[in-house]
Amino acid sequence: MKKVLILTLTFWLLIVGISFLWSMDVARKEQRHITLQTARTFLTQVILTREWNADHGGVYVPVTADMKSNLYLDDPLRDIQVNKDLQLTKVNPSFMTRQLSEIAAKHQGVQFHLTSLQPVRPQNSPSEWEKKALELFERGEKEVGETLNNHPNTDFIYMVPLIAEKSCLKCHSGYKEGDIRGGISVTLSNIHTLQLLPMTMGHIGIGSIGVIFIIFFWMKLSSAYGIIQRQAVIDSLTGIPNRRYFSERFYQEFNQCSRENTPISFILCDIDNFKGYNDTYGHQAGDECLKRIAHEIEITVRRPTDFCARYGGEEFAIILPNTPIDGARHTAERIRKNIENLNIKPDHAKTSYTVTISLGVATANHESLSHEGLIKKADEALYLAKKNGRNRVES
Ligand code: GH3
Ligand code: MG
Ligand code: MG
């Protein structure tokens, strides 16, 4: 039964464990998908803005304290003096991306970075991570994204290649349409990380409830199993072993003594005139009498290997392993006396009559006697005890 419990518990915990790992995997994938989607959306907006700028060949903005001319822009029309109060400077897509990136970092914790393996501006040189991503683009990769643990924050960096389009070639000579000019990366700072606690607690809760249920039902089952097992071997009226258990035990003990070449004795007891007792005092009184006699026999045979059972209606059998005939006779006599001394009679009985038993004793020394032979010999001795006047031991 314990094996069943261990197996069921192992199976249940395995299911909970697999469910936990599977849920974690699904949640991780889902979270990566959302983060990736966020990064893609940001970059799409930036790229669309860049395309708009490139389509116009750059856009002019007023020069202010915060807005200086782009020194890396090699264009004779870079700066235009409109009048004495207004000077305009051209902002190309790269310059615009850098400025958008600075604004975004300030407001939303998002950083864009335009980079290339041959940057015009030194600040556009790729980081180690970007360098690896650019190399992957060269090998055909369409996008690269990775979660970085920059303790205490968790960032997500995502990059796509920048493909040279017709509008770009005006400024980026040396490329042809479709070439990879570099890449644009977006870093989402301090992204929302997977919350393991609720999932872990949930699974621990479900797992524990399951374990409690399994143990509860196992206890119920094992107690029912115990009752069934007991009922199979114990006589329900007297509470001592039944005939079935006796047979099993008798063969075991007989064979054991036979192997060890030691004597085994067998006593068969039968209540005297019990039919009359039943008829006079009723069946219920008869049952009470059977219980008391069974109990008395049980406490009289004291050695741990001795074994008594209800053999039939009002018959009891006693196995005495490693016991020669003298010892067995002595034990039988003790049983007989003890039962006589119980002075069993119902409360309303008027006579001096008390319940007695007759006993037949036989011993096997294994020279010739078989199991059946031993029982038969004890039965014959019992018959003799009845014949010789009852309430006596014969062998
Ligand atoms: P004897 O001295 O020759 O053994 O006479 P007896 O009347 O005891 O004869 P026998 O052994 O044939 O009687 C068996 C009786 O035991 C029959 C039945 O009334 C009684 N008996 C058997 N089983 C039970 C039982 O479970 N409960 C009760 N109350 N009586 C039982
Ligand atoms: Mg009988
Ligand atoms: Mg009898």
Side-chain angles (χ1 to χ4, degrees):
M1 277 304 269
K2 264 200 183 134
K3 250 190 203 165
V4 174
L5 174 70
I6 291 167
L7 268 173
T8 317
L9 282 178
T10 312
F11 184 64
W12 170 245
L13 293 176
L14 206 73
I15 288 176
V16 175
I18 289 170
S19 156
F20 179 68
L21 292 177
W22 182 70
S23 309
M24 281 246 297
D25 188 50
V26 169
R28 273 214 181 97
K29 279 182 182 149
E30 191 62 23
Q31 195 201 22
R32 184 180 156 79
H33 177 74
I34 292 168
T35 315
L36 203 64
Q37 241 357 76
T38 311
R40 276 186 192 130
T41 310
F42 271 112
L43 275 195
T44 307
Q45 283 183 4
V46 174
I47 289 167
L48 285 176
T49 317
R50 283 171 56 80
E51 269 179 33
W52 173 81
N53 186 311
D55 283 349
H56 292 291
V59 294
Y60 283 95
V61 299
V63 175
T64 61
D66 294 330
M67 183 67 223
K68 303 278 186 244
S69 298
N70 178 6
L71 300 177
Y72 297 99
L73 182 61
D74 183 17
D75 187 332
L77 290 175
R78 187 185 72 195
D79 298 305
I80 300 169
Q81 191 72 42
V82 179
N83 56 39
K84 78 173 178 22
D85 294 325
L86 181 62
Q87 190 189 353
L88 296 178
T89 187
K90 195 186 237 183
V91 175
N92 67 347
S94 308
F95 194 41
M96 185 193 68
T97 308
R98 185 161 65 86
Q99 289 196 326
L100 281 175
S101 148
E102 282 164 9
I103 296 166
K106 249 187 259 161
H107 291 286
Q108 300 161 20
V110 180
Q111 200 100 34
F112 304 112
H113 190 223
L114 193 63
T115 185
S116 152
L117 289 171
Q118 304 141 28
V120 180
R121 258 175 99 242
Q123 289 94 322
N124 288 357
S125 307
S127 67
E128 278 306 308
W129 189 91
E130 287 171 333
K131 217 183 265 180
K132 275 186 210 152
L134 284 169
E135 283 163 12
L136 288 172
F137 296 149
E138 300 279 342
R139 278 185 250 144
E141 204 77 47
K142 295 281 178 271
E143 60 177 2
V144 183
E146 192 181 346
T147 304
L148 303 175
N149 276 322
N150 297 329
H151 194 73
N153 294 345
T154 305
D155 299 340
F156 183 77
I157 183 163
Y158 173 74
M159 192 166 173
V160 288
L162 277 179
I163 312 289
E165 288 173 15
K166 215 178 207 164
S167 54
C168 311
L169 302 182
K170 292 175 206 159
C171 306
H172 295 274
S173 53
Y175 289 107
K176 57 180 188 313
E177 214 176 328
D179 279 354
I180 295 172
R181 281 197 296 109
I184 183 161
S185 71
V186 58
T187 306
L188 306 177
S189 305
N190 203 8
I191 56 164
H192 186 70
T193 46
L194 197 62
Q195 294 299 304
L196 283 181
L197 194 66
M199 207 185 294
T200 312
M201 294 310 287
H203 277 84
I204 288 176
I206 289 172
S208 309
I209 290 170
V211 167
I212 291 168
F213 263 95
I214 289 169
I215 291 176
F216 175 77
F217 284 114
W218 178 81
M219 278 164 71
K220 286 246 166 224
L221 204 71
S222 77
S223 101
Y225 183 67
I227 291 169
I228 291 168
Q229 257 192 333
R230 201 183 133 74
Q231 280 172 349
V233 293
I234 300 293
D235 175 58
S236 58
L237 177 71
T238 59
I240 67 171
N242 60 15
R243 173 82 178 250
R244 195 175 142 211
Y245 192 8
F246 161 81
S247 301
E248 248 175 59
R249 189 68 181 260
F250 179 66
Y251 285 112
Q252 272 174 17
E253 295 293 353
F254 190 95
N255 292 340
Q256 171 96 5
C257 287
S258 175
R259 272 197 303 275
E260 291 168 3
N261 202 22
T262 50
I264 179 166
S265 293
F266 177 61
I267 305 173
L268 205 54
C269 323
D270 186 288
I271 304 177
D272 296 328
N273 304 312
F274 197 53
K275 199 171 176 320
Y277 186 91
N278 265 322
D279 294 346
T280 314
Y281 305 114
H283 216 262
Q284 209 170 341
D287 283 355
E288 280 310 309
C289 172
L290 279 171
K291 278 196 230 172
R292 288 187 69 186
I293 288 177
H295 179 67
E296 194 57 36
I297 293 174
E298 199 177 28
I299 58 173
T300 306
V301 287
R302 281 181 300 237
R303 282 195 320 185
T305 47
D306 293 349
F307 181 85
C308 66
R310 188 176 179 195
Y311 192 71
E314 35 78 84
E315 288 165 6
F316 298 92
I318 302 143
I319 306 165
L320 303 170
N322 302 320
T323 310
I325 187 73
D326 288 348
R329 246 193 318 249
H330 185 252
T331 304
E333 188 54 35
R334 218 171 55 236
I335 293 169
R336 190 200 64 76
K337 253 195 216 141
N338 285 356
I339 285 172
E340 190 176 25
N341 292 343
L342 280 179
N343 207 10
I344 301 172
K345 57 179 169 200
D347 296 339
H348 54 278
K350 293 193 178 86
T351 60
S352 60
Y353 159 84
T354 60
V355 174
T356 57
I357 60 168
S358 299
L359 304 95
V361 182
T363 300
N365 288 301
H366 309 295
E367 334 68 52
S368 56
L369 220 51
S370 64
H371 309 102
E372 294 80 13
L374 180 60
I375 294 174
K376 192 164 175 276
K377 216 170 146 190
D379 200 29
E380 283 165 7
L382 174 63
Y383 177 76
L384 202 63
K386 292 280 183 188
K387 202 173 139 207
N388 290 345
R390 298 182 168 81
N391 189 21
R392 55 189 295 122
V393 175
E394 292 291 348
S395 57

